[in-house]
């Protein structure tokens, strides 16, 4: 059974700080690791990390994947109040049944609060 | 919003009644998923579909059934609702023909079972 553990579960920082969110995982036949941001409604996609793409960056957000140690981190630099959200980490293993796309296994999320 | 519409957006129902939630997509994607989200548990997969009439169970499928008679619609049915099924339900799609594509989520249905 696939498993994802995120830490910390909650984090409060001040605007301008840099934060690092952690995600460790166990998955059979690793396919990908994904990060999502969830504000009030639907989770929105941030990054996908695979064997062929272990580092991703978009503006102030960046993520790396360590396939040997089975973890990923999400970094946010120069945080803003708009970064306040729940950040979700998910993994997917290669599936040989069900059409080849069984879905993602999610962690419980990190609730990030940015104070002005 | 990836062309996903969930209905209803909110529903309150009584224990023991059947409930059907609908997910509609406009872009003919092959893969569709139903997740529930609860405090302390995160998102958990209920059922998924990999084509018309092709579905399979996820992690928390007990008490739920699904149907997909058309590419664009994926229905989730609670056969006899219980209070433990009070949750926010999210539908998701995966883009077809795109290698290693992520899931994109609808805006959710908040279901309360009294």
């Amino acid at each position: 059974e696939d498993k994802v553990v995120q830490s910390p579960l909650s984090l409060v920082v001040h605007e301008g700080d840099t934060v690092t969110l952690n995600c460790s995982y166990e998955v059979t036949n690793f396919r990908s690791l994904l990060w999502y941001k969830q504000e009030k409604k639907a989770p929105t996609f941030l990054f996908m990390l695979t064997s062929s793409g272990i580092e991703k960056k978009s503006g102030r957000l960046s993520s790396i994947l360590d396939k040997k140690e089975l973890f990923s981190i999400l970094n946010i630099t120069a945080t803003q109040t708009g970064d306040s959200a729940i950040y979700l980490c998910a993994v997917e293993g290669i599936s040989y049944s069900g059409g080849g796309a069984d879905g993602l296994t999610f962690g419980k999320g990190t609730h990030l609060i940015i104070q002005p | 919003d990836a062309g996903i519409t969930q209905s209803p957006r909110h529903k309150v129902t009584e224990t023991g009644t059947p409930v059907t939630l609908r997910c509609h997509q406009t872009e003919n994607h092959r893969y569709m998923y139903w997740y529930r989200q609860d405090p302390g548990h995160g998102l958990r997969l209920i059922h998924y579909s990999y084509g018309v009439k092709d579905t399979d169970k996820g992690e928390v499928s007990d008490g739920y059934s699904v149907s997909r008679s058309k590419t664009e619609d994926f229905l989730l049915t609670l056969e006899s609702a219980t209070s433990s099924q009070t949750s926010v339900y999210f539908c998701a799609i995966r883009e077809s023909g795109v290698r290693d594509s992520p899931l994109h989520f609808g805006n959710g249905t908040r279901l309360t079972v009294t």
Side-chain angles (χ1 to χ4, degrees), chain B residues 10-29:
Chain B
H10 303 272
K11 186 169 181 67
V12 179
T13 192
E14 293 184 350
T15 299
T17 60
V19 177
T20 295
L21 309 183
R22 180 181 183 234
C23 179
H24 178 79
Q25 56 135 335
T26 58
E27 300 180 12
N28 289 323
H29 295 304

Side-chain angles (χ1 to χ4, degrees), chain A residues 31 34 36 38 41-43 45 48 88 92 98-99 101-104 106-108, chain B residues 30-31 33 35 37 40 42-43 45 48 50 90 94 100-103 105-107:
Chain A
R31 179 174 183 164
L34 297 87
Y36 286 83
Q38 186 175 24
K41 294 183 179 178
F45 171 68
M48 174 183 277
L88 299 167
E92 184 172 28
D102 289 359
L104 306 177
F106 283 84
K108 295 180 181 180
Chain B
R30 178 183 176 191
Y31 299 102
Y33 305 82
Y35 282 85
Q37 187 174 35
L43 282 155
L45 182 64
Y48 65 98
Y50 47 98
F90 286 100
R94 184 193 299 264
D100 292 334
S101 61
L103 268 61
F105 288 85
N107 284 327

Side-chain angles (χ1 to χ4, degrees), chain A residues 7-8 11-22 60-62 73-80 83-84 87 110-114:
Chain A
S7 65
L11 183 60
V12 181
V13 300
H14 288 99
E15 204 167 19
D17 289 349
T18 293
V19 298
T20 298
L21 310 183
N22 303 295
R60 297 177 294 103
L61 276 66
S62 63
I73 62 172
L74 176 68
N75 273 325
I76 309 175
T77 60
T79 53
Q80 303 170 358
D83 295 327
S84 295
Y87 290 84
T110 294
H111 189 187
L112 177 63
I113 297 173
I114 311 297

Side-chain angles (χ1 to χ4, degrees), chain B residues 75-87:
Chain B
L75 305 180
L76 177 71
T77 297
L78 288 65
E79 293 136 12
S80 176
T82 68
S83 58
S84 65
Q85 294 175 312
T86 292
S87 186

